[in-house]
Amino acid sequence: MTDKKIALVTGASRGIGAAIAVTLADDGYDIWLNYRSDHDAAQKVVEKVVACGRQCLLLPFDVADERAVEGALSPLLAAETPFILVNNAGFAQDGVMALMSHEEWRSVLNVHLDGFFLVTKLVVARMLRKRAGRIVNIVSTSGQIGVAGQVNYSAAKAGLIGATRSLAAEVARRKILVNAVAPGFIETEMTADLPVEKILPTIPLGRFGQAQEVADAVSFLCSDKATYITGQILAINGGIV
Ligand code: NAP
């Protein structure tokens, strides 16, 4: 483990990312908190991290923008290396494929896949030198099973599942563990407009999950209780898959 315990969480101004940031702060990590634009929401997460007795550094940048990622992270990584990286930033732009624009396809793949690549490439290079680290990618049930209207999002998350397994194999010798957490339907802004009554019968546990239930899985995968788990996809979905 690095001298100072740091966790970098992307897309952490609200929803699942915010819950992960606060949970890892409660686990004893200072937080590097990335988000794109919602400064007020990010500031509220800072207050919760500080209430856990940890420091929180705000890093607003678009994970899919190479220059922005390097500009924000390279100076920090020259001095310190996070033990944990959680690639959580993401969004969906649903629609049937026959009507999907190239931009709707590309923007979703960019955030999930390029975002993963750009951030992880910089961080894992530092982790390799330290011979320690945990990387958790937030994927989705949609990347595990087909979902109508989500061809772009499913492709992005399935791609991230493949990247998780390959990176895990690549860095295991240096004691860096790489896993993915695959949430089903979680109550956040992303799912706020979904037809709940139609969806509930498809979930064996009969309810949407909470962001905290995803955060607890991430916390476990980053803990000393998960030292022999790598390359795995942990589903948090109420039994859907
Ligand atoms: P959310 O409430 O919409 O929050 C998304 C977060 O990602 C926000 O902090 C947002 O920042 C940030 N973000 C979006 N695009 C970004 C970019 N290009 N660069 C940096 N940050 C960016 O979403 P959520 O429901 O918590 O979802 C979090 C992750 O879980 C996503 O990867 C999503 O695909 C995945 N997931 C969610 C569900 C679900 O049911 N909610 C299910 C499966 C998987 P700003 O606020 O500043 O824009």
Side-chain angles (χ1 to χ4, degrees), residues 13-14 16 36-38 62-63 88 139 153 157 184 186 188:
S13 59
R14 55 195 155 86
I16 292 169
R36 188 176 39 185
S37 56
D38 196 340
D62 180 346
V63 293
N88 167 81
V139 295
Y153 184 74
K157 292 301 196 183
I186 308 300
T188 67

Side-chain angles (χ1 to χ4, degrees), residues 31-35 39 42-43 45-46 56-60 76:
I31 305 297
W32 291 0
L33 191 144
N34 160 258
Y35 61 103
H39 305 297
Q43 197 52 49
V45 184
V46 172
C56 190
L57 181 63
L58 287 182
L59 298 172
L76 294 172

